[in-house]
Amino acid sequence: MPFSDRRYLIPFRATLLPQIFTDVLVVGAGVAGCSAALSAVRHHGSAEVIVTTKGRLKDSSTYWAQGGIAAVLDHVEDDVEKHIADTLTAGAGLCDEPTVRRVVENGPARLNELIEAGLRLDREANGDLKLGREGGHSQKRIVHADGDATGKALAATLFDAVRASERVRLFEDCFVLDLITTGDKPGQVPGGECVGAITHHPKYGLQVIWARSVILAAGGCGMVYRETTNPSAATGDGLAMAYRAGAVLQDMAFVQFHPTTLYIAGASRALITEAVRGEGAVLVDKSGHRFMPDYDERADLAPRDIVSRSILDQMVKTGHSHVYLDVRPIGIERFHERFPGIAKLLKQFDIDPATTPIPVHPSAHYMIGGVAVDDQTRSSVPGLYACGEASCSGLNGANRLASNSLLEGMVFGEVAGRACLERLEENAVGDPTLNTARPFKIISDIRPSDRSELDLADVRSSLRSVMWRHVGIEREGDRLAEVLDMFDFWATYTLDKIFDERLGWEVQNLLTIGSLITRAAHWRQETRGTHYRLDYAESADAYHLHDQWRIGDSSPTTAAVAEQVVQ
Ligand code: SIN
C-alpha cells in the first residue's frame, strides 16, 4: 500500500541535524495553538514552549475567520442546555455529549479571559455585547469583533500574549515535516512515543525540535478541494504527519462545506459570513427567486449542509454556475456598518450590493474529522496531543454548528496546554535531570525511487478537482471507488519520491489526506450531517459510530459514540 510504505517523508539521522530542545512543542499558531502555548506557560512555572507556524502568523484559518464565537452570554432568553441541544442537533447523532457540555459550559469563562486580555468585541450602545444569530442556532449567541473580522481580533489578542511571554518562542516560516516517534514503525505503541518533530526553515534548513510533549494544532485541509475558504497553508500537513506517526484519525468523511463564498472567476473564494444571512440576507437564484423556503422551513438559516445542497440543486435547476445573496433586506446602510470587511471586498470587485446581489457558491470550509483525542486531548500516540480543527474531539459530530470552532480552539487549547504538562511532571518525581527533552538516535533510511516522476503541480490540481467533483457535497459509491483508484495511482508515483521543498511535501500530505477522506466516505454507506451519499440517502443505525483509521489498515475500526442524555 503506497500510503503506508513511508514512516517519514525524508531520510535523516536525527542526531546529525541541528538540535533544538523544548518542553512543549506546539505545531500551529491559530486560536488552538496559541491558547495551548499560553495555558502551558500559565500552568507550569518553568515550562518552555515553542510554537511553529508554516507561514506567517496571519496565515492561519483563525486569522481569516469572519464569523464569531458562539457562547451563552444572555441568561434570559438563552441557556447552556439550548446551546448544547443546538450543537447536538447539528452533529446528527455523532457528537459526544460530555464533550459538547464541557465546551459549551467552559466557553463563556474562556471568552471572558480573552476580553480581560484585551479582545475587543462589538457592543451595543449600553455596553452589552452584541449577540448575533447564525444557522442552526435557536438563540442569538454569537459575538463578533469589528463586524466581520472576529478571527483577526482574536488572533491579535493571542499573538500579543504569546509575544509577551518570555517562555514562548515563536518560529514563523517553519514547516513541520514529521513528528518523531521512538518506535521503529508507526503504530508500534507502547514503545513509540512522540518526542519531537523534524522541521524545515527556508533560512536554517532541516532541524530537529526535541520536546517532552507535542501539541498538534495545525488546522485543517481545505486545500484538498478545488473550492475552499481556507488559507493556502491548509494542506492537511498536521493530519498527515499524525497519521504517519501512528495516531488514530477519526470521522474523516465529515467535511463541512460553507454555502456562501464569493463566486467570481479567478478570484479566491472569500467567505461571505453566515452572519449576513443571520442579519436577514436571503439567497436568490438567477431569476431572483428566493429558493431556500422551498427546501427547508428554516429557509436561509437551515444548517450549512442543507443550505449547501439546496444551492447545488438550485444551480442544476437553473443551469447556472452559482446563486446570489441579496443583502438588501438587511438595509444597505446597516450592511455596510455591520460588515465593513465584506463591503470593502465587494467594492474591490465593483459589486454594489444596493443594486447587485452577491454571486455566491459553496466551498470546502472546515474539517470535522481529525486526530482522535480523549477528554485530555491525548491522541493514541503517547506524548502527542491535538486540539482545534486538527483534532476530532467529539464536539462537532457529523456537522459543526456555526461559530463553535473558535470556541473549541479556545477551550481545548487551554486543556491541551494543561494536560501535556503531565509528561513534565512524570519524571520530575523520580529523577529531575530527566525532566527535559533529550535526543534519540532516530534514523529514517529511505532509498530514492527510480519510478518516473509525475508533474507535481498537475497532481495537485487534478486531485483538488477530483475531490471537489466526487468527494464534495454529494458523493456516490462507484465514483468514490474510482477516485480511490486514482489516488492509488498518483500515490505510487508521488509518495515514493524524496522531495526537498514544500510543494512536494504538501502534495504528499494532500494525497494522504484526500485518500483518507475518500476511503472514509466510501466506507460510510449512509447519509449523515455533512456526508451526503446519493446511493444511501438515509442515516443508518449501523453507522451510528465513529470510524477510526490507522496507518497500515485497509478498513477502519469503530468506536461507540458517547451516550447522549440531551435529545
Ligand atoms: C461564518 O462566518 O460563516 C463562518 C463561521 C464558522 O465557520 O463557524
Side-chain angles (χ1 to χ4, degrees), residues 465-538:
S465 290
V466 160
M467 287 294 291
W468 177 249
R469 283 204 309 277
H470 301 310
V471 200
I473 298 170
E474 293 181 341
R475 300 153 175 194
E476 196 266 320
D478 290 346
R479 292 273 184 229
L480 292 170
E482 284 168 24
V483 174
L484 284 176
D485 287 345
M486 274 185 226
F487 271 106
D488 282 346
F489 175 80
W490 288 325
T492 305
Y493 293 90
T494 306
L495 295 188
D496 62 326
K497 302 290 179 304
I498 296 169
F499 296 105
D500 56 7
E501 43 79 44
R502 289 184 186 194
L503 174 65
W505 302 325
E506 285 181 349
V507 171
Q508 290 178 317
N509 289 336
L510 286 168
L511 268 174
T512 302
I513 296 309
S515 159
L516 264 178
I517 295 171
T518 312
R519 280 160 69 193
H522 187 254
W523 173 83
R524 191 171 275 280
Q525 295 184 336
E526 65 158 356
T527 286
R528 186 185 293 275
T530 62
H531 171 64
Y532 186 74
R533 283 279 300 251
L534 292 163
D535 47 349
Y536 294 96
E538 304 294 328

Side-chain angles (χ1 to χ4, degrees), residues 15 19 28 44 50 104 253 270 284 317 351 426 452 469 493 496 562:
T15 46
Q19 322 267 311
H44 195 286
I50 290 176
V104 168
V284 295
K317 278 187 191 154
I351 296 172
E426 267 168 24
S452 48
R469 283 204 309 277
Y493 293 90
D496 62 326

Side-chain angles (χ1 to χ4, degrees), residues 64-69 134 137 142 144 148 150 229 256 258-260 271-277 304 365-366 400-406:
W64 282 37
Q66 290 178 4
I69 305 167
E134 287 174 11
H137 287 273
I142 324 288
H144 294 94
D148 51 14
T150 313
T229 62
Q256 185 173 72
H258 196 289
T260 54
L271 187 75
I272 306 294
T273 176
E274 185 156 327
V276 179
R277 278 174 286 131
R304 287 178 186 176
H365 182 56
Y366 189 87
R400 177 176 67 81
L401 185 66
S403 287
N404 267 0
S405 54
L406 295 176

Side-chain angles (χ1 to χ4, degrees), residues 365-379:
H365 182 56
Y366 189 87
M367 184 61 194
I368 291 170
V371 178
V373 290
D374 69 7
D375 62 354
Q376 294 303 309
T377 71
R378 296 182 196 105
S379 77

